[in-house]
Amino acid sequence: MKSVRIVEVGLRDGLQNESSNVSVEQRIELFKKLVDAGIKNIEVGAFVSAMWVPQMAQTKEITSLALKELSKSKNGKTVQPSVLVPNEEGMRQAIDSGIKEVAIFAACTESFSRKNINCSIDESFDRFKSVMALAKKNKIKVRGYLSTCFVCPFEGVVDPKKVVAIAQRMNALGVYEISIGDTIGAATVSQIRTLFTQLKKVIPVKKLAGHFHDTRGQALANTLAAYEMGIKTFDSSIGGLGGCPYAPGASGNVATEDVVYMFDGMKVSTGLNLRKLIEVHQWLQPMMNHPLSSKVGRVGLSNPIKC
Ligand code: HMG
Ligand code: MG
């Protein structure tokens, strides 16, 4: 059977941009429920500055509790939790936490890089050198994110050539995968096709992932377009939570339930249980101060695809 790999980012990308106060206990409950629904790759938080992103301030506690939960669980070894790190300081915190995967992130436009991590693109790559050295020493896997790959909230449409050059730089650092971000959910299918065609010429398709926000309702179409080009890894967030606090107007990632519904219908395995994901959506909804955006989650279990 054909398959795709889903990276659940709701606890990080999702909650980093929510004003609801979701406690550590609730986050761990969410983590457990997502793992029970079959999630294998899951971001649990970010070792970033709490001044910049207060919603991620309890990442240390959350990481430690999540790792404890996995050590108790029968299938714990098959789950790979990860955290975002912007610099050496974040990486040192990640090492102390005992986590074995991190994600670094760079922008494809100077304005977004400054707004998000307070440095230029070149400076961000300089910072990654020590992060990568520490990762190697501590046997930690590193994933790379590129933001503003299609449209920047400050600079407009981004030239694919620029993105390809930055992706090559990220690849040269030694990350195992590069997640291509439509940070403000503005890309359309033709942009997806153009950029991934160019990226595939210089980076093995197996190393590319799609990270699509759904601000303009294009994320599922973009996911399908990327899948048809050979991309097999997609980031999504339960309920469609989230966005980036430094990307004005951006809403959440494509919802995990919606992605799974689409792939289930195509007989492409995600390894996830749609019925359980919908139950997670229903459990999560009362904690949020707005309706979750997932359409499949809202319709609930009355959907026609067998869960
Ligand atoms: P800065 O203010 O330039 O940092 O922030 P600094 O090096 O000047 O240090 C200032 C203070 O921050 C110092 O503390 C440092 O120790 C501390 P003080 O001496 O004043 O007490 N500091 C840290 N504290 C905790 N963790 C750290 C850290 N580093 C320094 N890692 C910094 C630079 C990168 C830290 C800041 O800009 C930051 O945290 N930015 C993160 C922004 C963020 O998390 N954005 C959202 C995630 S990215 C995203 O959502 C996009 C993505 O989803 C893909 C897509 O959709 O496109 C991935
Ligand atoms: Mg994002």
Side-chain angles (χ1 to χ4, degrees):
M1 192 181 186
K2 291 179 182 155
S3 65
V4 290
R5 174 170 154 264
I6 302 294
V7 178
E8 169 61 44
V9 296
L11 279 157
R12 194 278 303 168
D13 207 340
L15 293 181
Q16 76 183 9
N17 207 33
E18 294 287 348
S19 56
S20 311
N21 193 10
V22 184
S23 69
V24 169
E25 292 70 28
Q26 288 168 325
R27 288 176 203 224
I28 292 301
E29 201 52 36
L30 176 56
F31 172 81
K32 282 169 30 188
K33 286 179 187 295
L34 288 166
V35 168
D36 185 54
I39 297 280
K40 299 288 183 212
N41 296 92
I42 179 163
E43 273 185 2
V44 296
F47 285 116
V48 295
S49 163
M51 302 278 280
W52 283 66
V53 190
Q55 292 92 331
M56 293 291 106
Q58 286 148 320
T59 293
K60 186 177 172 193
E61 210 177 336
I62 291 158
T63 306
S64 145
L65 289 169
L67 291 175
K68 206 176 276 174
E69 284 302 330
L70 292 179
S71 69
K72 285 192 289 187
S73 121
K74 223 174 38 213
N75 305 322
K77 282 204 176 74
T78 64
V79 179
Q80 181 77 71
S82 71
V83 287
L84 219 60
V85 299
N87 55 13
E88 187 175 327
E89 185 156 342
M91 185 62 178
R92 291 200 181 276
Q93 292 176 41
I95 294 165
D96 286 349
S97 78
I99 204 148
K100 287 294 165 202
E101 180 170 332
V102 299
I104 55 175
F105 52 109
C108 294
T109 57
E110 290 296 345
S111 320
F112 188 73
S113 185
R114 289 244 167 249
K115 293 270 186 202
N116 197 37
I117 48 175
N118 206 22
C119 67
S120 68
I121 297 172
D122 280 351
E123 283 163 343
S124 69
F125 275 88
D126 277 348
R127 291 176 182 179
F128 297 150
K129 285 182 197 151
S130 59
V131 172
M132 295 306 292
L134 283 169
K136 198 170 173 192
K137 193 168 158 206
N138 291 277
K139 297 191 171 49
I140 292 177
K141 284 174 81 178
V142 185
R143 188 173 199 241
Y145 276 109
L146 292 184
S147 292
T148 54
C149 294
F150 304 92
V151 183
C152 169
F154 311 105
E155 297 181 23
V157 173
V158 182
D159 183 349
K161 284 199 201 83
K162 199 171 164 185
V163 181
V164 170
I166 296 174
Q168 285 179 291
R169 262 177 106 173
M170 182 65 92
N171 195 31
L173 284 174
V175 297
Y176 79 87
E177 185 170 82
I178 303 173
S179 182
I180 301 299
D182 178 19
T183 312
I184 60 166
T188 57
V189 163
S190 71
Q191 283 174 291
I192 299 293
R193 289 188 182 133
T194 304
L195 180 59
F196 280 102
T197 300
Q198 297 304 318
L199 286 169
K200 279 166 58 178
K201 288 181 187 161
V202 292
I203 295 172
V205 68
K206 276 189 180 159
K207 290 188 80 174
L208 295 170
H211 180 101
F212 305 134
H213 284 262
D214 200 28
T215 319
R216 292 165 182 79
Q218 303 300 298
L220 208 51
N222 291 341
T223 303
L224 180 59
Y227 173 76
E228 286 174 349
M229 300 191 68
I231 308 306
K232 296 288 165 57
T233 299
F234 296 98
D235 305 345
S236 62
S237 84
I238 186 73
L241 283 174
C244 174
Y246 293 98
S251 66
N253 299 84
V254 66
T256 308
E257 311 86 293
D258 296 0
V259 172
V260 171
Y261 184 87
M262 179 181 82
F263 282 123
D264 278 2
M266 293 166 64
K267 304 274 180 278
V268 174
S269 169
T270 59
L272 306 188
N273 181 313
L274 183 58
R275 183 181 52 75
K276 287 189 178 181
L277 289 173
I278 290 170
E279 284 167 5
V280 181
H281 175 117
Q282 289 166 347
W283 169 84
L284 185 61
Q285 179 58 86
M287 281 169 233
M288 309 316 296
N289 52 17
H290 60 85
L292 291 171
S293 63
S294 164
K295 296 213 169 31
V296 171
R298 284 193 212 175
V299 173
L301 296 170
S302 60
N303 68 68
I305 301 279
K306 200 166 162 271
C307 298

